[in-house]
Amino acid sequence: HMIACAWYSMGRYVESDSGFRWLDDALGSNTDLTYADSTMFYQYTTSLHWAVTQMTPGSMQVSPRNSNERVFNFFCLLLGMVVFSSIISSLSTKLNQHQSREREKAQKLVELRRFLRNKAVNSRMAVAVLKHAEEAMSSSGSRPWILQEV
């Protein structure tokens, strides 16, 4: 919303070095109406659409028409790249941590099986011990992730 409002303001109020603004572009190839001629709601939704396309791989026909809009566009793209990269990095880190915990759990169970076999523990008792150990390792420290941790 904030980026959309800033983009709208760039087109409406900021000085243009080229004499053109994105609001001056035609709504389509078959009309002389411009974005400036459209309703405020249409201008807002167009600005919002533009803002979302700056943060994602999406595209749209609205583009910068002067240096100020182009610089703003560049920083929005840069911000989108940083945010997207941070999300991917956080998800990768969480996945690696999960895999590491699972490997550690598997290694501990292998060691416990070896211990039980070396000490010739009764098979029914060994199964019960292994089951209890698996349950204990699954529940300890294992809680659902919350959004702030990602």
Side-chain angles (χ1 to χ4, degrees), residues 15-36:
E15 188 175 321
S16 172
D17 60 351
S18 67
F20 299 103
R21 293 183 166 85
W22 75 266
L23 284 168
D24 299 330
D25 285 351
L27 290 173
S29 58
N30 298 336
T31 182
D32 290 333
L33 291 175
T34 65
Y35 289 101

Side-chain angles (χ1 to χ4, degrees), residues 21-66:
R21 293 183 166 85
W22 75 266
L23 284 168
D24 299 330
D25 285 351
L27 290 173
S29 58
N30 298 336
T31 182
D32 290 333
L33 291 175
T34 65
Y35 289 101
D37 299 328
S38 63
T39 66
M40 181 63 81
F41 181 71
Y42 189 78
Q43 292 172 6
Y44 172 74
T45 55
T46 300
S47 296
L48 189 60
H49 182 188
W50 179 88
V52 170
T53 63
Q54 302 314 298
M55 304 296 157
T56 63
S59 65
M60 72 176 303
Q61 67 274 14
V62 173
S63 60
R65 296 292 181 220
N66 60 56

Side-chain angles (χ1 to χ4, degrees), residues 109 112 116 125-138:
L109 289 173
L112 179 57
L116 294 171
M125 177 64 78
V127 167
V129 168
L130 285 167
K131 182 178 176 186
H132 181 71
E134 285 178 9
E135 288 174 4
M137 283 191 277
S138 294

